[in-house]
Amino acid sequence: MANHRVTLRPSNRTVDVPTGTLLSEAVQAAGQELGQPCGGQGRCGRCAVQVEGSGFRRRSTVRLSPEDLTAGYALACQTVVEGDLAVAIPPQERLQRMLVTDRVAARAEVPLAYDPATMQSLRVIQLALPEPSLEDNQDDQARLLAGLADAGVPSPSVPILVLRRLGPVLREAAWKPWVVVDQPDPTAPARLVDVSATPPKPLGLAIDIGTTTVTIYLVHLDSGEVLAQSAEYNDQIARGEDVVSRIIYAGKDGGLAELGDLVRRTIATLLERIRLRTAVDPAEILKVTIAGNTTMAHLFLGLPPASIRLTPYIPTVNRPERILGFESGLPVHPLASVDVLPGVASYVGSDITAGALAAGLDQAEGLTLFIDVGTNGEIVLGTRDWLVTCACSAGPAFEGAGVVDGMRATEGAIEEVWVHAATFEPTLRVIGGGRPRGVCGSGLLSLMAELFVTGVVDRGGHFKMDLGTPRVRQGEHGPEYVIAWPEESATGRVLALTKVDVDNLMRAKAAIFAGFTVLASRVGVDLADVQQVLIGGAFGKYLNIEKAIQIGLLPDLPWDRFRFLGNTSVRGSHMALLSRQARRSIHDLSERMTYIELSADNAFYDAFTAALFLPHTEINRFPSVAEIWARENGRPEKVPSREVGA
Amino acid sequence: MANHRVTLRPSNRTVDVPTGTLLSEAVQAAGQELGQPCGGQGRCGRCAVQVEGSGFRRRSTVRLSPEDLTAGYALACQTVVEGDLAVAIPPQERLQRMLVTDRVAARAEVPLAYDPATMQSLRVIQLALPEPSLEDNQDDQARLLAGLADAGVPSPSVPILVLRRLGPVLREAAWKPWVVVDQPDPTAPARLVDVSATPPKPLGLAIDIGTTTVTIYLVHLDSGEVLAQSAEYNDQIARGEDVVSRIIYAGKDGGLAELGDLVRRTIATLLERIRLRTAVDPAEILKVTIAGNTTMAHLFLGLPPASIRLTPYIPTVNRPERILGFESGLPVHPLASVDVLPGVASYVGSDITAGALAAGLDQAEGLTLFIDVGTNGEIVLGTRDWLVTCACSAGPAFEGAGVVDGMRATEGAIEEVWVHAATFEPTLRVIGGGRPRGVCGSGLLSLMAELFVTGVVDRGGHFKMDLGTPRVRQGEHGPEYVIAWPEESATGRVLALTKVDVDNLMRAKAAIFAGFTVLASRVGVDLADVQQVLIGGAFGKYLNIEKAIQIGLLPDLPWDRFRFLGNTSVRGSHMALLSRQARRSIHDLSERMTYIELSADNAFYDAFTAALFLPHTEINRFPSVAEIWARENGRPEKVPSREVGA
């Protein structure tokens, strides 16, 4: 096949590729990163590039206007190379490093009453061995094992990597070596992790791999304390913003390996940041626990995730065995255990089981609802005696993606909006205080609630065009609300919330609310009887509870029943790192949670459809909202007393 | 430091090295192999090279004559580079590939009554799993484990390398996968080795890593039969001919890794040879057992062997855990178990424990002596109820090394000699039938016996100079016997056995004989009471029993008590590959054998000194020899009846 030269502008880097190569692959082969939030499916339009020359063919022009096409724009993921050409990549949204979790920097507490002697699987022991002689000439390993047996560690396994160091270390240590042993299961033999002539630090690492954000805690295993923490966007985002896009990407040639490398690169970056702050070499880390949704676990472990998204939604594994540092590809100690915690099903992973433990669901006496709002929304309902769980694909709308002027919660993002009930003029709170560049998740939720409560949109999510304000207008893509005029924005462009955006947000909130209601109806309980609503996820810390109820994302319960727990997943990972009992509890939770597959449930579709209103088809399920809405809109509705059933 | 250019002749390859670099290292850095049989200790003289230029300094000139020095010869391992120079490497002894074991090509039999169902740890099972559905949505691993539990394999461990293949394989196999499980210990959980959509061949590999020769058997684990076998010199020989030289070499920078790579290269070469004959890809091999002396085991496993040769002679490990294919560096299946069999002590390794099993020592009713004659001589004495063992450093003389005109048992080697009792003229048998190039081990043993019996050397190993034959003469290095005149040899040089060679051979045989006697005296038995003498080692097949007794290498017992078993080590390795019970027996033998450290035993030195005569200081211990010697030499000695005690 003929080869064609692809030249990048402005760098003038080149690459030669055969006819038919995807332009996105050519650009990446030339060493240029290219964001593909929808996973190269031609859905998001984010990979649009400007092409010089005629040696290409567009397979799809979705999201490109006739003007764009004239200007040479093409979707890199939907365009094939058929001749020499040059490509200019428009400046991508600059990735701000001011993450939500970094902005808060809450000090992580030791999450349980910690007694390392009874809880910790990892032990650091100094032995005093008899010196060998011609009379006592057993081999080094036998001598070490005898000393360990005396120290209460009978017959541990001795990995070859330890054995290779053993002879020189014993002699350098003058037969008083330090030994690291790990015994996650007290009924099974322990395993040697390291031997050394100097005392090693007992360091562990708790990780939460989120679809969007990766969080790590460096933990001292004697005290349980977090020595340092760091969080960063998951580098996989460039290959798809939600798990389905990632699963599709993983199915491409080399995609699975690439996604694994990307999340490992993210973790390595965080470890490097911690090294600069604490001087801790990652290779000193002797134990790792990881929580994450099932897809994240598969991508980290290198397991093909294809079957997760195909009916009947079967993962390769929910409860993987521990692997070792060298098998994980992380820069930790090669013999550190790397424990990807047990999950429940394809869409309820260990972020939820670990989160449920951190939220105390295993101890909950009253009826409890646990919600993890992320790119997926996962829900657990029950008490310490029974638990049901489900997942609903909320999509990334609440994280600022999939919305025309959406963005991540970084500098320039509108994070809260108030709309004047008479003039319909907005007041904005912008992260960093300057002019806005877009709207992040909490801003979108806030704006939606305000537009609803002020009557700018009706209960069906339709804009009222007769309010007499220029803010509500017919835009290029249909009706929209102008959040910022060009002179008010940092970009010089209008920022608006369109009807399409509203529909996206309604679907996201409807999916989560339908999840509650189907779960509740499956077990025959009334949502009104829920004693506590525990909200996890990085997003949870910023969720405005009032507004979340107003749009029907959360059930209409007294506010004192809601608790915002922040990142429950990393907290559960931290607990499992410290305590064998906590690790066991997560395992037990993974077995006890009854998973409800919503995609196979007509009741879910009915509930979802019913929730595609503001706050809901049956507004009497939201008495507090009905009251406000009636007051603001001057049209009192009858507010009946609460009904039984979801 | 200044760099100097070293140029190889005749290739004119060059390398730049700093002042002080060893010439041997410079030559190797330039990519030229250089034999160093003594391990770079300046003892053997085999690395002599011819240097042009003056930019070098000799640290030692051992084995170089004044003429050699004038001609520019230097020992590469004892010479440092101090300026530009050129080096010519004399043609090394061409490595013939006609190995002893290949010449014989005896068909290896299945070494035990083999019932794979009860003996074999490895099982290949086809499962028929229920297809997943929305109602039966357990994960792939759980489904597989349920199927295995039904097949009698409860809770095997699932390595991540298997897990990564599991999802695609189950679907490709339409839920009827082939599974390979290994369970060496029936009381411990099994381990998954592989899953596949097509039936795998149950192939195993039995290896014997000798100091000089590596032997492998490719074995079908259903029938136990050897599908192919191959043997080759251990590529480590170029870094030292005996274990002590190798241990010293391993202590150099990078030496340990290099020696490990060399033996792996040897095994890979053998596997490639088998692939050409059988089309078996080494990656199909699912299980490996390895026998070898303790130093060979350490070098293969990457364990620093330094402490093996330093008092109190402590190895890192005698009974290593199994490792996996990918940890071993062998090109076998990455999850094949690679089982280096258990040994006893620094100088009694698994070649002896496996050999003892193959020789039937665990079943021996009468007093049995087992001897493995290799570069080291190892000895086991006892019955099925008790066993003592020791090792004596015989050196490589019996393998043709460390002797002026010695060579390996390849084409051109004299393998048997007869000396005329009157004329003292020799008759030679040469491997391949042409003119001789040197003398191999069996030839040396034969020649020694003949020279002794014909009175050319006396009982002290001294040449008689007054025999009236030009064959016995004063040579450059003292008295010598001319085996071949220049016109009789293939090299055009004289081939001779020198006094120094005789002394080397005497020390080798004395060491082994002293081993027997000390072992026997330690346990208070008489060597004359030994019911059977079992001789292993590749050498054993060619040992002329009569002549071995004549020089005092073997005890003077009726010939029908001797059995030559060939390579007992690889046979024991083959047994362990087939049978868990055999593997267990080798382990038990390694624990039951009482090791006697001869280097710590004055009795050994006394016995060794006493054996430094032909056949022994006390010739009456060798009544058959005394009779022949008296007859041939016309000087009858009194031959008393046998005495008690060794």
Side-chain angles (χ1 to χ4, degrees), chain B residues 270-535:
Chain B
L270 294 173
L271 286 169
E272 192 53 35
R273 206 177 285 169
I274 283 183
R275 185 215 288 266
L276 293 174
R277 294 210 296 263
T278 63
V280 167
D281 180 348
E284 296 179 68
I285 293 169
L286 299 169
K287 184 180 178 185
V288 181
T289 51
I290 298 180
N293 67 52
T294 304
T295 300
M296 290 303 108
H298 276 57
L299 297 179
F300 175 78
L301 291 170
L303 309 175
S307 57
I308 287 178
R309 68 178 272 269
L310 303 173
T311 177
Y313 317 108
I314 307 295
T316 292
V317 66
N318 288 313
R319 298 173 191 95
E321 294 182 12
R322 285 170 184 83
I323 63 173
L324 298 177
F326 75 87
E327 296 174 309
S328 75
L330 294 181
V332 299
H333 190 289
L335 292 175
S337 74
V338 176
D339 185 8
V340 176
L341 297 168
V344 178
S346 271
Y347 291 102
V348 175
S350 58
D351 49 346
I352 302 311
T353 52
L357 181 75
L361 254 72
D362 60 325
Q363 306 292 333
E365 298 194 6
L367 186 62
T368 300
L369 184 64
F370 172 59
I371 312 168
D372 192 304
V373 183
T375 312
N376 262 14
E378 293 99 343
I379 300 158
V380 186
L381 178 68
T383 70
R384 64 182 176 191
D385 298 320
W386 59 270
L387 292 166
V388 293
T389 182
C390 70
C392 27
S393 181
F398 283 131
E399 298 177 86
V403 169
V404 171
D405 287 314
M407 65 178 287
R408 301 190 190 99
T410 60
E411 190 157 319
I414 298 167
E415 61 175 352
E416 184 127 41
V417 184
W418 299 265
V419 175
H420 194 282
T423 65
F424 307 108
E425 285 296 303
T427 303
L428 311 177
R429 194 173 72 206
V430 178
I431 297 176
R435 290 186 177 180
R437 298 178 55 246
V439 194
C440 69
S442 58
L444 288 166
L445 186 139
S446 166
L447 178 58
M448 269 291 290
E450 289 286 291
L451 294 180
F452 165 57
V453 166
T454 57
V456 175
V457 298
D458 68 12
R459 289 187 47 215
H462 304 288
F463 283 96
K464 292 188 194 152
M465 306 305 290
D466 57 355
L467 294 174
T469 168
R471 295 266 172 189
V472 181
R473 65 177 194 177
Q474 197 69 29
E476 206 179 325
H477 304 287
E480 63 185 19
Y481 175 81
V482 175
I483 311 163
W485 299 108
E487 62 274 18
E488 295 170 342
S489 80
T491 59
R493 292 191 304 110
V494 157
L495 299 181
L497 185 77
T498 70
K499 176 70 171 73
V500 175
D501 298 338
V502 169
D503 290 348
N504 273 339
L505 288 163
M506 299 252 293
R507 275 196 293 274
K509 74 97 188 172
I512 289 174
F513 190 82
F516 307 157
T517 52
V518 171
L519 267 195
S521 80
R522 276 291 185 95
V523 290
V525 303
D526 186 344
L527 279 180
D529 293 335
V530 168
Q531 297 306 301
Q532 55 178 351
V533 180
L534 307 175
I535 302 170

Side-chain angles (χ1 to χ4, degrees), chain B residues 33 95 97 214 232-239 258-273 300 328-331:
Chain B
E33 284 286 304
L95 261 189
R97 296 308 178 192
V214 178
E232 187 48 272
Y233 287 116
N234 187 332
D235 281 334
Q236 291 175 343
I237 290 172
R239 304 289 173 266
E258 185 184 351
L259 291 173
D261 289 344
L262 286 170
V263 70
R264 277 186 287 275
R265 187 176 80 186
T266 307
I267 296 170
T269 301
L270 294 173
L271 286 169
E272 192 53 35
R273 206 177 285 169
F300 175 78
S328 75
L330 294 181

Side-chain angles (χ1 to χ4, degrees), chain A residues 141 157-158 164 301 316 321, chain B residues 141 157-158 164 301 315-316 321:
Chain A
Q141 173 178 299
S157 72
V158 184
R164 285 178 184 150
L301 291 171
T316 293
E321 293 182 16
Chain B
Q141 175 178 298
S157 72
V158 183
R164 286 179 183 149
L301 291 170
T316 292
E321 294 182 12

Side-chain angles (χ1 to χ4, degrees), chain A residues 133-134 137-141 157-158 163-164 171 301-302 304 307 312 314-319 321 326-327 600, chain B residues 133-134 137-141 157-158 163-164 171 301-304 307 312 314-319 321 326 600:
Chain A
S133 64
L134 287 170
N137 65 350
Q138 64 185 336
D139 61 66
D140 292 344
Q141 173 178 299
S157 72
V158 184
L163 199 61
R164 285 178 184 150
R171 287 159 183 85
L301 291 171
S307 56
I314 306 295
T316 293
V317 67
N318 288 312
R319 300 174 191 92
E321 293 182 16
F326 76 86
E327 295 174 311
Chain B
S133 64
L134 286 170
N137 64 352
Q138 63 184 336
D139 62 67
D140 292 344
Q141 175 178 298
S157 72
V158 183
L163 200 60
R164 286 179 183 149
R171 287 161 184 83
L301 291 170
L303 309 175
S307 57
I314 307 295
T316 292
V317 66
N318 288 313
R319 298 173 191 95
E321 294 182 12
F326 75 87

Side-chain angles (χ1 to χ4, degrees), chain A residues 109-120:
Chain A
E109 304 289 324
V110 179
L112 42 77
Y114 184 44
D115 174 18
T118 57
M119 294 177 173
Q120 182 51 251

Side-chain angles (χ1 to χ4, degrees), chain A residues 219-232:
Chain A
V219 177
H220 198 290
L221 298 180
D222 277 350
S223 65
E225 282 172 2
V226 175
L227 300 177
Q229 57 178 297
S230 193
E232 187 48 272

Side-chain angles (χ1 to χ4, degrees), chain A residues 17-97:
Chain A
V17 297
T19 298
T21 303
L22 275 181
L23 194 50
S24 55
E25 288 172 7
V27 167
Q28 289 176 39
Q32 172 75 47
E33 284 286 303
L34 187 69
Q36 293 183 269
C38 74
Q41 293 297 295
R43 287 189 284 104
C44 70
R46 297 275 180 101
C47 66
V49 295
Q50 207 169 3
V51 188
E52 302 165 30
S54 58
F56 66 97
R57 181 167 52 82
R58 297 181 183 93
R59 289 177 180 164
S60 160
T61 58
V62 68
R63 287 179 186 272
L64 294 178
S65 67
E67 291 75 11
D68 291 338
L69 296 176
T70 308
Y73 278 99
L75 298 178
C77 76
Q78 297 295 320
T79 300
V80 293
V81 177
E82 298 187 338
D84 291 0
L85 51 82
V87 187
I89 293 122
Q92 301 281 309
E93 173 189 326
R94 192 164 56 98
L95 260 189
Q96 292 285 350
R97 295 309 178 192

